[in-house]
Amino acid sequence: MPCWYYEKKELQQTPSLKDGISAETEARYRRDGARFIMDAGMKMGLRFDTCATGVVYFHRFYMFHSFKEFHRYVTAACCLFLAGKVEETPKKCKDLVKITRSMLPDAQYAVFGEDPKEEVMTLERILLQTIKFDLMMEHPYAFLLKYAKLIKGDKEKIQKMVQMAWTFINDSLCTTLCLQWEPEIIAVALMYLTSRLNKFEITDWQGKPIGFRGKWYEFLVEDVTLELLEDICHQVLDLYSKPALKGAESPAVSQTLPQPNPEDQSRQTPKTPVSPQVAKRKPVGGKVIFMYCYINLCSQF
């Protein structure tokens, strides 16, 4: 199967950028597509993992095609349609088209053409070829729940940390993190972020070797570094620090997807090796960005 993880320099050479679309516009189009998939999926009663699968398909698709060539909303609808079948939560294409019609203004819905159903089903074949029929995937949600079960400490604080990390995972789908890092690494990074926000230091966990002097995240994911965690945290926090674009929605999708149910997962996950690339960023301990993010999120809990 192909490798779906890219270096940052590769993410700066996408077909859209080569086609004259600015990096800011491409990032906005990716956010638009991700939000559309989340919103449409929830309106259709699809599970959070189905929606997440659709978003990953969307991001992978535009590593091979330009937003000028395929409109983001048509592609998003197609990705959700395929994800429903892959995750065994299928929905009829006509129902998806009906939901799409209710969500988009006339000008945007017009890109679906005279036969929206045929438009989606035709693009599905292109999508399958583009992602090379590599359909199955894992998401950070499951790893978050599995890792959280290993942590020892105040149960109420752990639950709050999991809820906030779940929110960050939702919003991370609006970024290209799923094209950079494995889901278990994203889960650990966002657990680290929420532990910092909640001032909850993780010092003990199930399976901790006697005399182990490393950090909890080093135990869960082999060779993961603080530098890597900081970079992932910054990419998510950047969503909250960017000024709202005129006529655009908020980048966060955290109010769209449901909160975690700890009973959903019970199996523990072994340590996982980390990918080779690590980008350099300043520490996420800056008080201003943390407080800005924290204030925005507190209202949701």
Side-chain angles (χ1 to χ4, degrees):
M1 288 295 178
C3 176
W4 293 108
Y5 300 109
Y6 299 87
E7 299 280 354
K8 284 191 175 182
K9 62 182 180 181
E10 295 177 284
L11 294 173
Q12 296 169 356
Q13 299 174 352
T14 63
S16 296
L17 294 175
K18 292 178 179 179
D19 213 8
I21 295 176
S22 69
E24 293 76 14
T25 300
E26 181 182 21
R28 178 167 63 86
Y29 285 171
R30 286 184 180 274
R31 292 196 300 269
D32 288 346
R35 286 196 303 270
F36 177 88
I37 291 171
M38 307 289 191
D39 292 341
M42 291 307 297
K43 288 178 183 295
M44 299 181 73
L46 293 171
R47 300 193 311 258
F48 63 88
D49 53 339
T50 299
C51 298
T53 295
V55 174
V56 176
Y57 290 163
F58 181 84
H59 285 305
R60 290 180 178 180
F61 182 84
Y62 284 107
M63 290 304 294
F64 294 90
H65 300 285
S66 169
F67 280 101
K68 284 187 177 181
E69 184 181 6
F70 295 97
H71 195 279
R72 59 192 182 280
Y73 289 128
V74 180
T75 303
C78 177
C79 289
L80 183 59
F81 181 58
L82 177 60
K85 292 188 281 188
V86 171
E87 298 291 349
E88 298 183 352
T89 55
K91 296 294 181 180
K92 294 181 179 178
C93 190
K94 66 177 183 180
D95 294 332
L96 174 59
V97 169
K98 186 183 298 184
I99 289 293
T100 299
R101 183 66 187 92
S102 70
M103 293 174 58
L104 297 177
D106 292 342
Q108 292 180 334
Y109 184 72
V111 301
F112 283 81
E114 296 182 359
D115 190 346
K117 179 180 175 182
E118 181 62 27
E119 187 77 11
V120 171
M121 298 184 73
T122 298
L123 183 55
E124 183 184 29
R125 292 189 285 271
I126 300 174
L127 172 61
L128 283 167
Q129 293 173 352
T130 299
I131 62 177
K132 300 174 176 57
F133 295 87
D134 187 4
L135 303 175
M136 304 306 297
M137 64 185 65
E138 294 179 293
H139 299 293
Y141 302 106
F143 289 99
L144 168 64
L145 296 179
K146 292 172 187 175
Y147 293 158
K149 286 177 181 286
L150 300 178
I151 298 172
K152 295 181 180 180
D154 187 309
K155 297 297 182 183
E156 195 171 310
K157 289 184 178 180
I158 294 173
Q159 179 62 19
K160 183 176 181 180
M161 183 186 73
V162 171
Q163 289 178 328
M164 190 175 287
W166 189 282
T167 296
F168 280 127
I169 291 173
N170 289 345
D171 292 342
S172 74
L173 292 169
C174 287
T175 73
T176 58
L177 279 172
C178 65
L179 299 177
Q180 300 175 54
W181 301 109
E182 293 87 344
E184 55 268 34
I185 297 174
I186 296 173
V188 165
L190 298 181
M191 285 177 66
Y192 165 77
L193 175 57
T194 54
S195 69
R196 292 290 303 273
L197 286 172
N198 288 302
K199 297 181 179 179
F200 176 62
E201 186 177 0
I202 301 173
T203 58
D204 196 13
W205 57 89
Q206 294 179 31
K208 181 180 179 180
I210 297 176
F212 183 76
R213 296 182 178 276
K215 297 293 186 179
W216 60 272
Y217 50 79
E218 296 171 334
F219 174 81
L220 293 176
V221 180
E222 185 179 356
D223 295 331
V224 72
T225 65
L226 180 60
E227 186 180 33
L228 168 57
L229 301 183
E230 301 278 4
D231 178 66
I232 293 174
C233 292
H234 269 291
Q235 291 191 55
V236 175
L237 290 174
D238 282 349
L239 286 170
Y240 304 94
S241 62
K242 289 177 181 177
L245 295 172
K246 183 177 180 181
E249 304 171 29
S250 166
V253 297
S254 52
Q255 293 182 344
T256 304
L257 294 183
Q259 290 300 311
N261 178 3
E263 300 303 321
D264 287 346
Q265 301 288 340
S266 58
R267 182 167 52 87
Q268 295 181 3
T269 301
K271 294 196 295 184
T272 308
V274 67
S275 294
Q277 67 267 38
V278 177
K280 293 185 177 180
R281 292 294 296 269
K282 60 185 178 180
V284 296
K287 293 182 179 179
V288 175
I289 187 65
F290 263 106
M291 288 305 298
Y292 181 88
C293 182
Y294 185 77
I295 291 170
N296 276 275
L297 289 173
C298 278
S299 61
Q300 299 177 25
F301 299 104

